Structures are given as C-alpha cells and as structure tokens.
Amino acid sequence: MTLDLNPPSPVSPAVDFDADGKQHGALRLPWSRDDSAWGAIHIPICVVRNGDGPTALFFGGNHGDEYEGPIALYDLARLLKPEDITGRVIIVPALNYPAFRAAKRTSPIDGGNMNRIFPGRPDGGITEKIADFVTRGLLPLADVVLDIHSGGKTLDFVPFAAAHFLADKEQQARCMAAAEAFGAPFAVRMREIDAAGMLDTSAEALGKTFVTTELAGGGTATPETAAIARHGVRNLLKHAGILDGVPERQETRWLTMEEAGTFAASPADGLVDYALALGDEVRRGEPVARIIPHGSTGAAPVTVTAPGDGLLIGRHFPGLVQTGDCVAVVGSLDD
Ligand code: CA
C-alpha cells in the first residue's frame, strides 16, 4: 500500500504497511546539504503484520537524548515474529533520527523540538516534515499509539506511563487503561503545561488510544528502566490483543499531575542541592531543594518548596540550574 497523502509528503516510506511478515525499512526524507547535495535522512522503521487485527504504533527517540524507548524498540523490532501477533505493529525506535544521532533533545539540522511542532508541515523544516508524515501518514493507521519518553539530559523521573485528561471520557478511560497495562511502577493522569504541538495531542485528536511515558532520565538508561520499557511494549501489545497473553502486572501506583500543585521552577541561577530523592513523599510548602548562588561566596541559598502534596516524581538532572528551570514535579497520590 502506498500512502496517498494530499498534499503530498516529501517523506517516502520504504516499507509496505499492508504486507504480511516483517520488514525493516526506512522513512526517507530528502536532505540536501554541504556533504551530500542529493542526500536523504533514513529514519529506521519496522512493520510486522500478521493478517487483520489492531495496529499498534510505537515511537522512541521523539527527543534524541532519551534512551529507554530506542533500547526497547530496536529490541522489539529485531525479536518480534509475525507469527506471534495478530494485526500489525509499526515501530519507529528513533523518530527524530537526526537528534538521536547527535544525542540531542532537538534536531541539529533545524533546531526542531519534535514534540513541540506537531502536527507539522509538509513544506516546513526537516523536523516539521517528519511530524507531518507522522500526523497524516502513520497516526491514521493506528489503534494504539505509544510514545516512549524519558527525562533526557536535563530531567529525571520516577518511571511512569501516563495518559491525559481528555474531553472524551470514553477515550480517556481507554488511554488510562492502556497506561496502566504498560506496567511501569507508576501511572500518571496528566494535564500538560502546554499540550499544543505535541505528538500526544495529534494522536488524541484522531481518537487514538494514546500512552506516553517518562522512564527516568539523565541522558542514559539503567538496567531497571530499560527492562520497564521492554516489558511495557509487550504488555501494551498484549493489552491491545495483538500479542497473546495477559500483561505482566506489577503493582502500579496511580498519581495525578495537574498544572496547579505540580511544577516548581527555579527562581534563580545556581547550584542545585536536593533535600529529597525521587519517589519521596512531600507536602506543599516543604523544602525540595536549595539553589546556591555561585557568583560569589556568602550569598544565601534560595529554597524551592513543594508546589503540592504527593511524591517527588520529577527533578532537574544536572547540578546547575538557570532561572525558570523545572526543579520539582510533584504528583498527587490517590487516596
Ligand atoms: Ca521527552
């Protein structure tokens, strides 16, 4: 099957989305540049299909410095056998491939932040063209969409899968059930700071069952977080009825992230000294970290306090912060 997009996309998929079996291919996007005048970006893609059934669409590397998604999805693409599934699995392990190769959150080509430019444009920059192909080419093929994120080089999180508060409560319930089935230690009901431009928002607007994650961070993966991602993708395929079996459930604790009471930003530039570790319980107004001014000795640290009651589920990662950096994310616990 060719995707007949109107207006056409400059991205051409070197896979047949309707063929049974397994294909390792690429999304090819022309990229003319100094070292390759008629060059192209080849974004790896794998399509595994076995007859009719639901379609799962899995992304890693939306941000190029987050590694649990690519680790789990390169593995899944290599290991998943067509005879193991009913339906179709489309795997894009490193969606912003130029950013992934550069180990950067954003594209080194055009500075594009993939998760802030959806739905994209077929006539825009490189990153917008990729987003547009996802929006008009890939998302419509899917029933269940998973976009695996982690904190990247500047954030760290307790490992969680998440679904958003949505106007359509039936869709919201589907998304939350899928987030729980992913089987991370935590699941989060989430309202974004600014949902515009996110892959999430485009997938949800099409009525898809959408799950995102934050699986630790710091610009690397650990054995624990990689295992959560590997189990999660298979759990979600089982939940969708694509892979046989029931999701391997561990205890998942539900948390809520709403705008008020969730985020605390640094009021100053400085050296960050955390009083709490990820996963610690905290009450509103209690100190989470001190920001130590480093321009001269003798200046008093500034204390950042918890914006709400709950668990510290996200924090800044490197040792230095700038004014406005996200220092603390607090998720409220279900009673
Ligand atoms: Ca991310």
Coordinates of all heavy atoms in Angstrom, one line a residue, residues 25-94:
G25 N 12.7 -1.2 7.3 CA 12.9 -0.3 6.2 C 13.2 1.1 6.7 O 13.8 1.2 7.8
A26 N 12.9 2.1 6.0 CA 13.2 3.5 6.4 C 12.1 4.4 5.9 O 11.5 4.2 4.9 CB 14.6 3.9 5.9
L27 N 12.0 5.5 6.6 CA 11.2 6.7 6.1 C 12.3 7.6 5.5 O 13.2 8.1 6.2 CB 10.5 7.4 7.3 CG 9.6 6.5 8.1 CD1 9.0 7.3 9.3 CD2 8.4 6.0 7.2
R28 N 12.2 7.8 4.2 CA 13.3 8.5 3.5 C 12.8 10.0 3.3 O 11.8 10.2 2.7 CB 13.6 7.9 2.2 CG 14.1 6.5 2.4 CD 14.5 5.8 1.1 NE 13.4 5.6 0.2 CZ 13.2 4.6 -0.6 NH1 14.2 3.7 -0.8 NH2 12.2 4.6 -1.4
L29 N 13.7 10.9 3.7 CA 13.4 12.3 3.6 C 14.5 13.0 3.0 O 15.6 13.0 3.6 CB 13.1 12.9 5.0 CG 12.9 14.4 5.2 CD1 11.8 14.9 4.3 CD2 12.6 14.7 6.6
P30 N 14.4 13.6 1.8 CA 15.5 14.3 1.2 C 16.1 15.4 2.1 O 15.3 16.1 2.7 CB 14.8 14.9 -0.1 CG 13.7 14.1 -0.4 CD 13.1 13.6 1.0
W31 N 17.4 15.4 2.1 CA 18.1 16.5 2.9 C 19.3 16.9 2.2 O 20.3 16.2 2.2 CB 18.4 16.0 4.3 CG 19.2 16.9 5.1 CD1 19.1 18.3 5.1 CD2 20.2 16.6 6.1 NE1 19.9 18.9 6.0 CE2 20.6 17.9 6.7 CE3 20.7 15.5 6.6 CZ2 21.6 18.0 7.6 CZ3 21.7 15.5 7.6 CH2 22.1 16.8 8.1
S32 N 19.2 18.0 1.4 CA 20.3 18.5 0.6 C 21.2 19.3 1.5 O 20.8 20.2 2.2 CB 19.8 19.3 -0.5 OG 20.8 19.9 -1.3
R33 N 22.5 19.0 1.5 CA 23.4 19.7 2.5 C 24.8 19.7 1.9 O 25.1 19.1 0.8 CB 23.4 18.9 3.8 CG 23.8 17.5 3.7 CD 23.3 16.7 4.9 NE 24.0 15.4 5.0 CZ 23.5 14.3 4.5 NH1 22.3 14.3 3.8 NH2 24.1 13.1 4.6
D34 N 25.7 20.3 2.6 CA 27.1 20.5 2.1 C 27.8 19.2 1.8 O 28.5 19.1 0.8 CB 28.0 21.3 3.1 CG 27.6 22.8 3.2 OD1 26.8 23.2 2.3 OD2 27.9 23.4 4.2
D35 N 27.7 18.2 2.7 CA 28.4 17.0 2.4 C 27.6 15.9 1.6 O 28.1 14.8 1.5 CB 28.9 16.4 3.7 CG 27.8 16.0 4.7 OD1 26.6 16.3 4.4 OD2 28.1 15.3 5.7
S36 N 26.4 16.3 1.2 CA 25.6 15.4 0.4 C 24.5 16.1 -0.3 O 23.4 16.3 0.2 CB 25.1 14.2 1.2 OG 24.4 13.3 0.4
A37 N 24.8 16.6 -1.6 CA 23.9 17.5 -2.2 C 22.5 16.9 -2.5 O 21.5 17.6 -2.3 CB 24.5 18.0 -3.6
W38 N 22.5 15.6 -2.8 CA 21.2 15.0 -3.1 C 21.0 13.9 -2.0 O 20.5 12.8 -2.2 CB 21.2 14.3 -4.5 CG 21.0 15.4 -5.6 CD1 21.1 16.7 -5.4 CD2 20.7 15.2 -6.9 NE1 20.9 17.4 -6.6 CE2 20.6 16.4 -7.6 CE3 20.5 14.0 -7.7 CZ2 20.4 16.5 -8.9 CZ3 20.3 14.1 -9.1 CH2 20.2 15.4 -9.7
G39 N 21.4 14.2 -0.8 CA 21.3 13.2 0.3 C 19.9 13.1 0.9 O 19.0 13.8 0.5
A40 N 19.8 12.2 1.8 CA 18.5 12.0 2.5 C 18.7 11.5 3.9 O 19.8 10.9 4.2 CB 17.7 11.0 1.7
I41 N 17.7 11.7 4.7 CA 17.7 11.1 6.1 C 16.9 9.8 6.0 O 15.8 9.8 5.3 CB 17.0 12.1 7.0 CG1 17.8 13.4 7.2 CG2 16.7 11.4 8.4 CD1 17.0 14.5 7.8
H42 N 17.4 8.8 6.5 CA 16.7 7.5 6.6 C 16.3 7.2 8.0 O 17.2 6.8 8.8 CB 17.5 6.3 6.0 CG 17.6 6.3 4.5 ND1 18.1 5.3 3.8 CD2 17.3 7.3 3.6 CE1 18.0 5.5 2.5 NE2 17.5 6.7 2.3
I43 N 15.1 7.4 8.3 CA 14.6 7.1 9.7 C 14.2 5.6 9.8 O 13.3 5.2 9.0 CB 13.4 8.0 10.1 CG1 13.8 9.5 10.0 CG2 12.9 7.7 11.5 CD1 12.6 10.4 10.0
P44 N 14.9 4.8 10.6 CA 14.5 3.4 10.7 C 13.1 3.1 11.1 O 12.5 3.8 11.9 CB 15.5 2.8 11.8 CG 16.6 3.8 11.8 CD 15.9 5.2 11.5
I45 N 12.4 2.2 10.4 CA 11.1 1.8 10.7 C 10.9 0.3 10.5 O 11.6 -0.2 9.6 CB 10.0 2.6 9.9 CG1 8.6 2.2 10.3 CG2 10.2 2.4 8.4 CD1 7.5 3.2 9.7
C46 N 10.1 -0.3 11.3 CA 9.9 -1.8 11.2 C 8.4 -2.0 11.2 O 7.7 -1.4 12.0 CB 10.5 -2.5 12.3 SG 10.1 -4.3 12.3
V47 N 7.9 -2.8 10.2 CA 6.5 -3.1 10.2 C 6.4 -4.6 10.3 O 7.0 -5.4 9.5 CB 5.8 -2.6 8.9 CG1 4.3 -3.0 8.9 CG2 6.0 -1.1 8.7
V48 N 5.6 -5.1 11.3 CA 5.3 -6.5 11.5 C 3.8 -6.7 11.4 O 3.1 -6.0 12.1 CB 5.8 -7.0 12.9 CG1 5.7 -8.5 13.0 CG2 7.2 -6.5 13.2
R49 N 3.4 -7.6 10.5 CA 2.0 -7.7 10.3 C 1.7 -9.2 10.1 O 2.4 -10.0 9.5 CB 1.5 -7.0 9.1 CG 0.0 -7.1 8.8 CD -0.5 -6.1 7.7 NE -1.9 -6.1 7.6 CZ -2.6 -7.0 6.7 NH1 -1.9 -7.8 6.0 NH2 -3.9 -6.9 6.6
N50 N 0.5 -9.6 10.7 CA 0.0 -11.0 10.5 C -1.5 -10.9 10.4 O -2.2 -10.9 11.5 CB 0.5 -11.9 11.7 CG 0.0 -13.3 11.5 OD1 -0.3 -13.7 10.3 ND2 0.0 -14.1 12.5
G51 N -2.0 -10.7 9.2 CA -3.4 -10.7 9.0 C -4.1 -9.4 9.6 O -3.5 -8.5 9.9
D52 N -5.5 -9.6 9.6 CA -6.2 -8.4 10.1 C -6.2 -8.4 11.6 O -6.1 -9.4 12.3 CB -7.7 -8.5 9.6 CG -7.8 -8.4 8.1 OD1 -6.9 -7.7 7.6 OD2 -8.7 -9.0 7.5
G53 N -6.3 -7.2 12.2 CA -6.3 -7.0 13.6 C -5.9 -5.6 13.9 O -5.7 -4.8 13.0
P54 N -5.8 -5.3 15.2 CA -5.5 -3.9 15.6 C -4.1 -3.6 15.2 O -3.2 -4.4 15.0 CB -5.7 -3.9 17.1 CG -5.9 -5.3 17.5 CD -6.1 -6.2 16.3
T55 N -3.8 -2.3 15.1 CA -2.5 -1.8 14.8 C -1.9 -1.0 16.0 O -2.6 -0.1 16.5 CB -2.5 -0.8 13.6 OG1 -2.8 -1.6 12.4 CG2 -1.1 -0.2 13.4
A56 N -0.7 -1.4 16.4 CA 0.0 -0.6 17.4 C 1.1 0.2 16.7 O 1.8 -0.3 15.8 CB 0.6 -1.5 18.5
L57 N 1.3 1.4 17.1 CA 2.3 2.3 16.6 C 3.2 2.8 17.7 O 2.7 3.5 18.6 CB 1.6 3.5 15.8 CG 2.5 4.6 15.3 CD1 3.5 4.1 14.3 CD2 1.6 5.7 14.7
F58 N 4.4 2.4 17.7 CA 5.3 2.7 18.8 C 6.5 3.6 18.4 O 7.2 3.3 17.4 CB 6.0 1.4 19.4 CG 5.0 0.5 20.1 CD1 5.4 -0.8 20.5 CD2 3.7 0.9 20.4 CE1 4.6 -1.7 21.1 CE2 2.8 0.0 21.1 CZ 3.3 -1.3 21.4
F59 N 6.7 4.7 19.2 CA 7.7 5.6 18.9 C 8.7 5.7 20.1 O 8.3 5.7 21.2 CB 7.2 7.1 18.7 CG 6.3 7.2 17.5 CD1 4.9 7.4 17.7 CD2 6.9 7.3 16.3 CE1 4.1 7.5 16.6 CE2 6.0 7.5 15.2 CZ 4.7 7.6 15.3
G60 N 10.0 5.7 19.7 CA 11.1 6.1 20.7 C 11.8 7.3 20.0 O 11.6 7.6 18.8
G61 N 12.7 7.9 20.8 CA 13.6 8.9 20.2 C 12.8 10.1 19.6 O 13.4 10.8 18.7
N62 N 11.6 10.4 20.1 CA 11.0 11.7 19.8 C 11.9 12.8 20.2 O 12.1 13.8 19.4 CB 9.6 11.7 20.5 CG 8.8 13.0 20.3 OD1 9.4 14.1 20.2 ND2 7.5 12.9 20.3
H63 N 12.4 12.7 21.4 CA 13.6 13.5 21.8 C 14.8 12.6 21.7 O 14.8 11.5 22.2 CB 13.3 14.0 23.2 CG 12.2 15.0 23.3 ND1 11.2 15.0 24.3 CD2 12.0 16.1 22.5 CE1 10.4 16.0 24.1 NE2 10.8 16.7 23.0
G64 N 15.9 13.2 21.2 CA 17.0 12.4 20.8 C 17.9 11.9 21.9 O 18.8 11.1 21.7
D65 N 17.7 12.4 23.1 CA 18.6 12.1 24.2 C 17.9 11.3 25.3 O 18.2 11.3 26.5 CB 19.2 13.4 24.9 CG 18.1 14.3 25.5 OD1 16.9 14.1 25.2 OD2 18.5 15.3 26.2
E66 N 16.9 10.5 24.9 CA 16.1 9.7 25.8 C 16.2 8.2 25.3 O 15.9 8.0 24.1 CB 14.7 10.2 25.8 CG 14.6 11.6 26.2 CD 13.2 12.3 26.1 OE1 12.2 11.5 25.8 OE2 13.1 13.5 26.4
Y67 N 16.7 7.3 26.1 CA 17.2 6.0 25.5 C 16.4 4.8 25.8 O 16.6 3.8 25.2 CB 18.6 5.8 26.0 CG 19.5 6.9 25.4 CD1 19.9 8.0 26.1 CD2 19.8 6.9 24.0 CE1 20.6 9.1 25.6 CE2 20.5 8.0 23.4 CZ 20.9 9.0 24.2 OH 21.6 10.0 23.6
E68 N 15.5 4.8 26.8 CA 14.7 3.6 27.1 C 13.8 3.2 25.9 O 13.7 2.0 25.6 CB 13.8 3.7 28.3 CG 14.5 3.7 29.6 CD 15.2 5.0 30.0 OE1 15.1 6.0 29.2 OE2 15.8 5.1 31.1
G69 N 13.3 4.1 25.2 CA 12.4 3.9 24.0 C 13.2 3.2 22.9 O 12.9 2.1 22.5
P70 N 14.3 3.8 22.5 CA 15.1 3.2 21.4 C 15.6 1.8 21.9 O 15.6 0.9 21.0 CB 16.3 4.2 21.2 CG 15.7 5.5 21.6 CD 14.7 5.2 22.7
I71 N 16.1 1.6 23.1 CA 16.5 0.3 23.5 C 15.4 -0.7 23.4 O 15.6 -1.8 22.8 CB 17.1 0.3 25.0 CG1 18.4 1.1 25.1 CG2 17.2 -1.1 25.5 CD1 18.8 1.4 26.5
A72 N 14.3 -0.4 23.9 CA 13.2 -1.4 23.9 C 12.7 -1.6 22.5 O 12.3 -2.8 22.1 CB 12.0 -0.9 24.8
L73 N 12.7 -0.6 21.6 CA 12.0 -0.7 20.3 C 13.0 -1.3 19.3 O 12.5 -2.0 18.4 CB 11.5 0.6 19.9 CG 10.3 1.1 20.8 CD1 9.8 2.4 20.2 CD2 9.2 0.1 20.8
Y74 N 14.3 -1.0 19.4 CA 15.2 -1.8 18.5 C 15.1 -3.3 18.8 O 15.2 -4.1 17.9 CB 16.6 -1.2 18.6 CG 16.9 0.0 17.7 CD1 17.0 1.3 18.3 CD2 17.1 -0.1 16.3 CE1 17.3 2.4 17.5 CE2 17.3 1.0 15.6 CZ 17.4 2.3 16.2 OH 17.7 3.4 15.4
D75 N 15.1 -3.6 20.1 CA 14.9 -5.0 20.5 C 13.6 -5.6 20.0 O 13.6 -6.7 19.4 CB 14.9 -5.1 22.0 CG 16.3 -5.3 22.6 OD1 17.3 -5.3 21.8 OD2 16.4 -5.4 23.8
L76 N 12.5 -4.9 20.2 CA 11.2 -5.4 19.7 C 11.2 -5.6 18.2 O 10.8 -6.7 17.8 CB 10.1 -4.4 20.1 CG 8.7 -4.9 19.8 CD1 8.3 -6.0 20.8 CD2 7.7 -3.8 19.9
A77 N 11.8 -4.7 17.5 CA 11.8 -4.8 16.0 C 12.6 -6.1 15.6 O 12.3 -6.8 14.7 CB 12.4 -3.6 15.4
R78 N 13.7 -6.3 16.3 CA 14.6 -7.4 15.9 C 13.9 -8.7 16.3 O 14.0 -9.7 15.6 CB 15.9 -7.3 16.7 CG 17.0 -8.2 16.3 CD 18.3 -7.7 16.8 NE 18.3 -7.2 18.2 CZ 18.4 -8.0 19.2 NH1 18.5 -9.3 19.1 NH2 18.3 -7.6 20.4
L79 N 13.2 -8.8 17.5 CA 12.8 -10.0 18.1 C 11.3 -10.4 17.8 O 11.0 -11.6 17.8 CB 13.0 -10.0 19.6 CG 14.5 -9.8 20.0 CD1 14.5 -9.6 21.6 CD2 15.3 -11.0 19.7
L80 N 10.5 -9.5 17.5 CA 9.0 -9.8 17.3 C 8.9 -10.6 16.1 O 9.3 -10.2 15.0 CB 8.2 -8.5 17.3 CG 6.7 -8.6 17.4 CD1 6.3 -9.2 18.8 CD2 6.0 -7.3 17.2
K81 N 8.2 -11.7 16.2 CA 7.9 -12.5 15.0 C 6.5 -12.3 14.5 O 5.6 -12.3 15.3 CB 8.1 -14.0 15.3 CG 9.5 -14.4 15.8 CD 9.7 -15.9 15.9 CE 11.0 -16.3 16.6 NZ 10.8 -16.4 18.1
P82 N 6.3 -12.3 13.2 CA 4.9 -12.1 12.7 C 4.0 -13.2 13.2 O 2.8 -12.9 13.5 CB 5.1 -12.2 11.2 CG 6.5 -11.9 10.9 CD 7.3 -12.3 12.1
E83 N 4.5 -14.4 13.4 CA 3.6 -15.5 13.8 C 3.1 -15.3 15.3 O 2.2 -16.0 15.7 CB 4.2 -16.9 13.6 CG 5.5 -17.1 14.3 CD 6.7 -16.8 13.4 OE1 6.6 -15.9 12.5 OE2 7.8 -17.4 13.6
D84 N 3.8 -14.4 16.0 CA 3.5 -14.2 17.4 C 2.3 -13.2 17.6 O 1.8 -13.1 18.7 CB 4.7 -13.6 18.2 CG 5.8 -14.6 18.3 OD1 5.6 -15.8 18.1 OD2 6.9 -14.2 18.6
I85 N 1.9 -12.6 16.5 CA 1.0 -11.5 16.6 C -0.3 -11.7 15.8 O -0.3 -12.5 14.8 CB 1.6 -10.1 16.3 CG1 1.9 -10.0 14.8 CG2 2.9 -9.8 17.1 CD1 2.2 -8.5 14.3
T86 N -1.3 -10.9 16.1 CA -2.5 -10.8 15.3 C -2.7 -9.3 15.0 O -2.8 -8.5 16.0 CB -3.7 -11.3 16.0 OG1 -3.5 -12.7 16.4 CG2 -5.0 -11.3 15.1
G87 N -2.6 -8.9 13.8 CA -2.7 -7.5 13.4 C -1.3 -7.0 13.0 O -0.6 -7.6 12.3
R88 N -1.0 -5.8 13.5 CA 0.1 -5.1 12.9 C 0.8 -4.2 14.0 O 0.2 -3.6 14.9 CB -0.3 -4.2 11.8 CG 0.7 -3.4 11.1 CD 0.2 -2.7 9.8 NE -1.0 -1.9 10.1 CZ -1.6 -1.2 9.2 NH1 -1.2 -1.2 7.9 NH2 -2.6 -0.4 9.5
V89 N 2.2 -4.2 14.0 CA 2.9 -3.4 14.8 C 3.9 -2.6 14.0 O 4.6 -3.1 13.2 CB 3.8 -4.2 15.9 CG1 4.5 -3.3 16.8 CG2 2.9 -5.2 16.6
I90 N 3.8 -1.2 14.1 CA 4.7 -0.3 13.4 C 5.6 0.3 14.4 O 5.2 0.9 15.4 CB 3.9 0.8 12.7 CG1 2.9 0.1 11.7 CG2 4.8 1.7 11.9 CD1 1.9 1.1 11.1
I91 N 6.9 0.1 14.2 CA 7.9 0.5 15.2 C 8.9 1.5 14.6 O 9.5 1.3 13.6 CB 8.7 -0.7 15.7 CG1 7.8 -1.8 16.2 CG2 9.8 -0.4 16.7 CD1 8.4 -3.2 16.3
V92 N 8.9 2.7 15.3 CA 9.9 3.8 14.9 C 10.7 4.0 16.1 O 10.3 4.8 17.0 CB 9.1 5.0 14.4 CG1 10.2 6.1 13.9 CG2 8.1 4.7 13.3
P93 N 11.9 3.4 16.2 CA 12.6 3.5 17.5 C 13.3 4.8 17.8 O 13.6 5.1 18.9 CB 13.7 2.3 17.4 CG 13.7 2.0 16.0 CD 12.5 2.4 15.3
A94 N 13.6 5.6 16.7 CA 14.3 6.8 16.9 C 13.7 7.9 15.9 O 14.2 8.2 14.9 CB 15.8 6.6 16.6

